[in-house]
Amino acid sequence: MTNAALYHNPDSQNDGQNDSQSNSTGYNFAYLDEQTKRMIRRCLLKAVAVPGYQVPFGGREMPLPYGWGTGGMQVTATIIGQDDVLKVIDQGADDTTNAVSIRRFFARTAGVATTESTREASVIQTRHRIPETPLSHGQILVYQVPIPDPLRFIEPRETETRKMHALQEYGVMHVKLYEDIARFGHIATTYAYPVKVNGHYVMDPSPIPKFDNPKMHGNPALQLFGAGREKRIYAIPPFTRVESLDFEDHPFEIQGWDQTCEFCGSDHSFLDEVVTDDEGGRIFICSDTDYCNQRFANGARQEAV
Amino acid sequence: MYVAVKGGEKAIDQAHSWLDETRRGDTSLPELSVAQIRQQMGLAVDRVMAEGSLYDPELAALALKQASGDAIEAIFLLRAYRTTLPRFLASVPMETNTMAIQRRISAAYKDLPGGQVLGPTYDYTHRLLDFTLLANGERGSAPPSGDETVEDCPRVLDFLNSEGLIESPLANSGRTQSDGSAESETPADLTRQPLDYPAGRDLRLQALARGDEGFLLALAYSTQRGYGRNHPFAGEIRQGEVAVEIAPEELGFPVIVGDIQVSECDMINQFIGTETEAPRFTRGYGLAFGNSERKALAMALVDRALRARELGEDVVSPAQDEEFVLAHCDNLDSSGFVSHLKLPHYVDFQSELVLLRRLRKEFEERKSGRQGPKVNTTSKPGNQDEPSTDNEQRREVKQA
Amino acid sequence: MTNAAMAMTQEALAEPLLKVKNLRKLYAPGKGVDGVDFELWPGEVLGIVGESGSGKTTLLQCLSGMLTPDSGQIEYTGKQGDKLDIYKITESQRRLLLRTDWGIVHQHPRDGLRMGVSAGANIGERLMAIGERHYGNLRSTGEAWLREMEIDTARIDDLPRTFSGGMQQRLQIARNLVTQPRLVFMDEPTGGLDVSVQARLLDMLRNLVVDLGLSVVLVTHDLAVARLLSHRLMVMRGGKVVEQGLTDQILDDPQHPYSQLLVSSVLTP
């Protein structure tokens, strides 16, 4: 790389943290320089062209630690524009600390509007959940991914897994599922459940609960996956076939609860378990805070306060 | 009545305030200045520069101050800053032969041209806590006798090289060159492209140069203890200032843009020979910003270990395992991922709880004699029943 | 099972399964494979014998697609009669062959098994790799093969490390045979097993070869094993084949001085 893109304001102070105005911190729009964004865009295009294939990219250090969403952030930083509306969730909630931290980062470095409403967002960056509210065509869901390769825990060597993907040698994945059934009577993977994309590549959907897997199939939104530390990007284009691996006689199934949401009464969303006292008391509430609030606001459940 | 937990933003702000207070500490004491850190915590500054991959002692000192002295946190600050800097060009390869020597020793020879120059080293200090430092006693330090010039220090490994006793510095750069010719292509850039395996020596050395000193030290130590032994001798260790030169196209000749302090280590390792070539020593190389001698030594040992494949040695130990070493040597990667465990994982944990509760329920049902699916542990032969098809289990099968 | 053998022999008579021409892979003069030619026919067991360092293992590695030779050609006739030059086809095709039409039985079972997964999974893996998606079928196939290899079917969920050496070897063989390969490479399959276990395994192998119409390339230093299993023998020394022919002929009436030495040095009880 020989270009000296003088985007960087040489007079700016090093500390971009204390300035609440957008884009006056001396950093480029959304922090990344244009060269890097261009490089990531090229990788994103490759990823979209080959659904489920892990594209290596020259990831950069971000001001948040590796493992805390830098991959998702680099993808968001690359695609976000001035008119976008950004939602950031972690565990389905907008106000978990890391979601807050990332949302602030973009508010500061890009000055974009932010929202907690799934419906209003144009870009949604998420960690470990897919929103309950169905997405629409034109929205982009950016997933934070810790370990991109579904084969990694069966085969730690990158040189070998690369070949396995290239040659579609996925027998080992079913071996793992077979073992689970032999040992537990069920497939024992409950999150980061591997899927086959477009009938070709096997992909790790990030540590979303298997409950969310069906939402990836045929989704009208564009789904992008960023792994910053491992430096991989992959994608599921809109309306793509996504199938969770299983056996014919042990078909894929999602979790369920006997309880309903304490706030909105939902019996079909993913529920968080909350311990309320030290005698085993517990209640269940929707993990997706926006979804829950919307239902509640629509009078789904009357609270006796 | 349970109220959903909120207030993440406020909590973060409060945490930051408290952090600022903690970082400053007792306000009745004078604030530490960046200049003081730079001067008096030089080795900490050097480490931050080396692993932060950025030579700027003042910024490194600032990072240490901001990070309350946590080296890895400071390294992170420097790397993140580095990301935002424009890249003008690459320098000409540094000529460490013409280093302004501050320290230069060789374990391979008792005496040699230029001599054994100890420099400002902790090596021969007795590790006794000096309480006069505690009392802020100023001990007049005897400055080195100013007029004694350091003689020319020719490179130790060149002595061996001219006799043909050691492989040439550019040999076996990692790409299989059947004619043994030196690499003429531009080195790859670890900071711009993702690491790919097998990695050439250029990428390996880059990764090691910014790799965590503790990790490399442990790996180096392991080779000495037999995990991939390569019989090292410290051929030469040098510390001092080296000029950084650039050669812009417009000028057509190189220009010095500054000097930096570096530590360099040439290891002499296990000799090898083939049927067609006489045996000779092999090399390991280490280089780090500042007076980071321990890092340079460890790096040289691990560099040599990682050359096992190209030197036809069996890869038997972690230090020789390229993927293992290079994937785990960056402390931004490792500290980030380890500490990410602090982030909420309650959704996935909830998923595990749901499954575990179900499995336990099934276990109890089986024990109490009711029908259930056949389940085998691996330690004993199971019963002879065929697995049931889970008809009696209530399951939700929801597909989009 | 004999139907397979019959079907085999009918089309078999047409052409060899494996044709090796002037194969060369040398580490040093006399070390490796130094110009080897032969043909292998369907349903035939070819034994390769020689002392260690004779090049027989190198030959096996070249033949099974694991080691690229310096020169020469290895041609395999696929199921559809297509001629495949083993080192001209893509790695993908080679790896597919290794998982379906071919088998490799290693001397040490742990080289050919997944030690960390159950016997059933080991047997089923090849089937899962080619698309078998019914757990019940995988399990019953696993049990059928365990029975065939005289392993108690109750051990289907046990890990291989709980098996004896002989059982592990039989499991490795089952794992290979489940996709009904036509060609199996074996490297000292009974090495390291004690004598009675060896005998049982050899007997089993002999029957399987006949029942399944297998072609086998068998590398061994043990002439007794060679005599029991092979139709033809090749004697190797210093990378070259010094003599080849029918097994009984070579063992009863060796012509080459080295073969004579080899045969005469076998301890007879």
Side-chain angles (χ1 to χ4, degrees):
Chain A
M1 300 281 181
T2 53
N3 290 331
L6 291 175
Y7 59 83
H8 181 74
N9 180 351
D11 298 329
S12 70
Q13 294 304 307
N14 176 29
D15 183 6
Q17 302 292 73
N18 54 11
D19 206 320
S20 59
Q21 291 174 36
S22 68
N23 207 15
S24 54
T25 59
Y27 293 97
N28 195 35
F29 179 80
Y31 181 79
L32 289 178
D33 58 280
E34 292 303 313
Q35 287 286 67
T36 302
K37 286 188 197 172
R38 205 168 301 155
M39 179 270 296
I40 295 177
R41 267 182 220 124
R42 279 197 287 265
C43 293
L44 286 169
L45 288 174
K46 263 189 218 155
V48 172
V50 190
Y53 167 70
Q54 300 164 51
V55 181
F57 80 108
R60 304 282 188 256
E61 279 94 0
M62 299 289 282
L64 270 69
Y66 281 126
W68 293 52
T70 58
M73 284 168 69
Q74 287 179 77
V75 172
T76 300
T78 298
I79 62 174
I80 204 156
Q82 242 130 21
D83 299 330
D84 275 302
V85 181
L86 176 69
K87 173 176 162 82
V88 182
I89 48 174
D90 184 342
Q91 313 294 293
D94 301 87
D95 68 347
T96 39
T97 43
N98 208 40
V100 169
S101 176
I102 293 175
R103 191 168 54 245
R104 276 181 162 184
F105 174 83
F106 283 111
R108 191 167 291 146
T109 60
V112 287
T114 62
T115 181
E116 295 193 2
S117 159
T118 305
R119 230 164 242 120
E120 285 171 22
S122 59
V123 176
I124 302 170
Q125 180 167 329
T126 177
R127 177 166 174 270
H128 297 189
R129 283 273 2 245
I130 299 180
E132 305 283 356
T133 312
L135 301 174
S136 47
H137 194 44
Q139 288 182 301
I140 302 180
L141 189 58
V142 178
Y143 296 72
Q144 294 175 206
V145 181
I147 303 278
D149 201 324
L151 297 169
R152 182 62 61 225
F153 296 117
I154 299 173
E155 175 52 70
R157 324 209 129 249
E158 161 78 17
T159 41
E160 190 51 30
T161 54
R162 219 166 39 204
K163 257 186 218 156
M164 291 162 84
H165 281 292
L167 305 176
Q168 286 196 274
E169 286 181 10
Y170 292 129
V172 277
M173 297 242 56
H174 275 93
V175 166
K176 196 261 170 197
L177 302 181
Y178 171 100
E179 283 294 89
D180 282 351
I181 299 172
R183 197 176 309 156
F184 302 117
H186 306 276
I187 294 173
T189 305
T190 62
Y191 58 88
Y193 193 107
V195 293
K196 193 161 197 136
V197 179
N198 205 29
H200 192 113
Y201 284 98
V202 169
M203 187 194 94
D204 182 322
S206 82
I208 54 175
K210 63 176 182 168
F211 182 87
D212 282 343
N213 274 26
K215 298 186 179 78
M216 289 188 289
H217 176 67
N219 199 312
L222 171 64
Q223 300 172 73
L224 302 176
F225 298 78
R229 191 179 39 84
E230 300 274 345
K231 301 188 173 37
R232 296 284 183 276
I233 276 173
Y234 45 105
I236 302 176
F239 306 110
T240 303
R241 192 159 47 114
V242 178
E243 299 150 307
S244 301
L245 302 187
D246 61 7
F247 287 102
E248 287 160 18
D249 49 341
H250 284 262
F252 172 77
E253 50 163 18
I254 62 176
Q255 298 107 324
W257 288 258
D258 294 328
Q259 301 87 346
T260 58
C261 173
E262 192 73 17
F263 284 154
C264 75
S266 164
D267 64 351
H268 55 270
S269 48
F270 191 96
L271 300 181
D272 293 334
E273 182 172 328
V274 177
V275 180
T276 49
D277 56 49
D278 57 5
E279 283 154 24
R282 41 196 90 236
I283 57 167
F284 289 80
I285 40 180
C286 289
S287 138
D288 186 331
T289 50
D290 174 53
Y291 186 71
C292 193
N293 291 336
Q294 303 281 356
R295 279 180 55 91
F296 185 70
N298 293 338
R301 178 186 170 100
Q302 300 305 314
E303 285 297 333
V305 180
Chain B
M1 147 85 196
Y2 178 77
V3 178
V5 63
K6 288 212 174 297
E9 288 226 21
K10 197 148 167 264
I12 291 182
D13 287 335
Q14 294 287 60
H16 287 169
S17 297
W18 198 349
L19 179 65
D20 284 339
E21 269 181 43
T22 313
R23 189 192 59 68
R24 176 61 182 86
D26 187 348
T27 47
S28 67
L29 296 172
E31 179 164 356
L32 205 52
S33 74
V34 170
Q36 281 177 308
I37 296 176
R38 178 180 176 172
Q39 289 301 315
Q40 298 173 42
M41 301 261 122
L43 295 179
V45 169
D46 287 343
R47 178 171 178 198
V48 172
M49 290 198 296
E51 294 174 27
S53 263
L54 190 66
Y55 195 93
D56 190 322
E58 190 181 47
L59 287 182
L62 168 62
L64 278 166
K65 177 173 176 179
Q66 188 173 331
S68 302
D70 182 343
I72 292 181
E73 188 61 40
I75 289 163
F76 188 1
L77 283 167
L78 213 58
R79 284 270 197 97
Y81 182 67
R82 183 188 189 285
T83 299
T84 67
L85 295 175
R87 173 84 65 90
F88 294 117
L89 14 76
S91 72
V92 175
M94 281 195 322
E95 192 45 86
T96 52
N97 283 345
T98 52
M99 179 190 285
I101 299 273
Q102 188 186 62
R103 168 170 164 74
R104 187 275 211 136
I105 56 172
S106 171
Y109 292 95
K110 179 169 179 177
D111 199 4
L112 64 169
Q116 307 269 16
V117 183
L118 293 186
T121 175
Y122 277 94
D123 280 357
Y124 302 104
T125 61
H126 298 152
R127 271 57 169 196
L128 303 167
L129 282 175
D130 185 350
F131 291 98
T132 61
L133 289 177
L134 185 60
N136 280 334
E138 291 286 348
R139 293 191 322 138
S141 47
S145 38
D147 285 339
E148 199 180 310
T149 49
V150 178
E151 299 163 30
D152 255 3
C153 293
R155 183 159 238 121
V156 173
L157 265 61
D158 284 350
F159 307 153
L160 295 171
N161 198 19
S162 58
E163 273 189 80
L165 290 172
I166 192 168
E167 56 176 353
S168 93
L170 297 174
N172 296 120
S173 313
R175 317 229 185 250
T176 35
Q177 308 268 61
S178 45
D179 61 355
S181 61
E183 284 285 330
S184 56
E185 348 160 343
T186 341
D189 187 341
L190 185 66
T191 66
R192 296 281 146 166
Q193 65 201 72
L195 194 50
D196 202 17
Y197 304 103
R201 193 160 178 220
D202 49 355
L203 283 177
R204 279 189 252 136
L205 286 172
Q206 286 173 33
L208 294 179
R210 52 163 45 187
D212 183 74
E213 182 175 319
F215 183 64
L216 294 185
L217 197 57
L219 289 172
Y221 177 45
S222 75
T223 66
Q224 292 179 281
R225 292 194 70 254
Y227 289 83
R229 189 173 179 209
N230 50 46
H231 296 98
F233 288 91
E236 185 165 13
I237 296 170
R238 300 182 159 224
Q239 268 178 21
E241 279 193 340
V242 185
V244 177
E245 295 179 88
I246 57 169
E249 268 176 27
E250 299 86 341
L251 276 183
F253 55 85
V255 188
I256 297 180
V257 292
D259 298 297
I260 60 174
Q261 180 87 355
V262 297
S263 302
E264 185 189 42
C265 174
D266 273 324
M267 280 289 176
I268 302 170
N269 297 94
Q270 177 65 51
F271 46 78
I272 54 166
T274 65
E275 298 239 335
T276 48
E277 277 183 36
R280 60 183 71 167
F281 289 116
T282 53
R283 294 170 177 255
Y285 186 74
L287 184 71
F289 288 147
N291 288 353
S292 307
E293 187 171 288
R294 192 184 308 117
K295 169 67 182 281
L297 272 138
M299 179 173 163
L301 286 173
V302 178
D303 170 48
R304 174 57 180 81
L306 288 177
R307 295 182 60 216
R309 189 175 26 94
E310 71 212 36
L311 292 173
E313 295 166 349
D314 284 337
V315 173
V316 297
S317 67
Q320 299 169 305
D321 184 335
E322 183 182 83
E323 261 197 67
F324 182 78
V325 174
L326 300 182
H328 304 119
C329 66
D330 187 317
N331 55 32
L332 254 63
D333 285 350
S334 53
S335 65
F337 202 43
V338 168
S339 61
H340 109 288
L341 292 174
K342 298 184 262 184
L343 292 180
H345 284 78
Y346 55 81
V347 165
D348 291 339
F349 187 64
Q350 174 65 205
S351 307
E352 296 280 81
L353 278 176
V354 169
L355 175 65
L356 188 61
R357 284 180 177 141
R358 181 173 173 192
L359 292 178
R360 290 177 65 86
K361 182 158 149 232
E362 287 167 5
F363 181 83
E364 292 307 320
E365 283 168 1
R366 266 194 317 279
K367 256 182 63 182
S368 65
R370 282 153 57 190
Q371 273 284 54
K374 169 187 175 193
V375 167
N376 259 330
T377 60
T378 52
S379 56
K380 54 184 195 297
N383 56 48
Q384 298 299 322
D385 299 341
E386 289 291 271
S388 78
T389 52
D390 287 357
N391 282 330
E392 45 275 295
Q393 294 298 317
R394 213 167 28 86
R395 269 184 335 179
E396 291 176 285
V397 183
K398 289 184 194 169
Q399 299 283 355
Chain C
M1 299 273 196
T2 35
N3 284 334
M6 273 166 48
M8 278 267 89
T9 42
Q10 257 146 26
E11 27 170 303
L13 303 171
E15 53 199 357
L17 195 59
L18 200 66
K19 259 203 286 219
V20 179
K21 292 196 196 111
N22 209 12
L23 194 66
R24 194 164 267 111
K25 171 71 186 176
L26 286 170
Y27 297 108
K31 279 208 160 43
V33 175
D34 197 1
V36 169
D37 299 83
F38 67 90
E39 284 172 354
L40 181 72
W41 295 80
E44 176 178 45
V45 179
L46 176 69
I48 306 178
V49 297
E51 59 195 22
S52 51
S54 58
K56 53 191 200 297
T57 302
T58 308
L59 177 58
L60 194 71
Q61 287 175 334
C62 289
L63 293 176
S64 57
M66 310 259 71
L67 188 63
T68 309
D70 299 332
S71 63
Q73 196 197 41
I74 303 171
E75 193 185 81
Y76 173 73
T77 306
K79 266 196 172 115
Q80 261 64 36
D82 43 322
K83 299 275 184 288
L84 302 168
D85 183 328
I86 291 306
Y87 289 98
K88 288 230 169 62
I89 60 177
T90 63
E91 183 175 9
S92 168
Q93 291 170 292
R94 252 198 315 278
R95 279 164 85 122
L96 186 61
L97 269 181
L98 273 168
R99 283 204 314 269
T100 53
D101 224 27
W102 286 2
I104 300 190
V105 177
H106 301 263
Q107 178 174 4
H108 302 291
R110 43 199 70 228
D111 293 334
L113 287 174
R114 281 198 195 274
M115 300 304 283
V117 305
S118 67
N122 266 285
I123 296 175
E125 182 174 350
R126 278 193 170 200
L127 296 173
M128 289 185 249
I130 55 173
E132 176 59 65
R133 290 290 173 265
H134 193 279
Y135 176 79
N137 288 349
L138 285 163
R139 211 161 164 81
S140 46
T141 304
E143 285 171 346
W145 274 101
L146 286 177
R147 267 191 295 270
E148 181 71 28
M149 305 309 288
E150 295 173 19
I151 300 176
D152 183 4
T153 54
R155 308 215 50 190
I156 188 172
D157 293 320
D158 290 352
L159 292 179
R161 65 176 88 105
T162 65
F163 287 14
S164 68
M167 280 168 78
Q168 285 180 357
Q169 196 57 301
R170 280 179 275 146
L171 181 62
Q172 196 200 166
I173 293 166
R175 180 178 155 90
N176 275 281
L177 296 184
V178 75
T179 47
Q180 294 169 355
R182 296 188 302 145
L183 173 57
V184 181
F185 299 96
M186 294 195 195
D187 188 1
E188 308 278 9
T190 57
L193 298 175
D194 65 40
V195 180
S196 60
V197 177
Q198 269 194 44
R200 190 175 168 204
L201 184 63
L202 285 172
D203 213 34
M204 196 178 280
L205 279 174
R206 204 157 54 141
N207 292 332
L208 281 170
V209 166
V210 170
D211 289 344
L212 301 177
L214 292 178
S215 300
V216 178
V217 177
L218 168 71
V219 160
T220 182
H221 67 279
D222 187 335
L223 295 184
V225 171
R227 189 193 280 276
L228 197 65
L229 290 181
S230 334
H231 300 108
R232 278 198 299 135
L233 270 194
M234 285 192 342
V235 182
M236 278 193 79
R237 186 185 190 220
K240 293 197 193 296
V241 178
V242 299
E243 191 168 355
Q244 61 174 297
L246 294 177
T247 302
D248 288 340
Q249 269 178 6
I250 304 239
L251 292 181
D252 293 337
D253 186 22
Q255 297 299 304
H256 190 278
Y258 176 69
S259 317
Q260 292 166 350
L261 186 63
L262 208 60
V263 170
S264 66
S265 63
V266 173
L267 296 170
T268 42

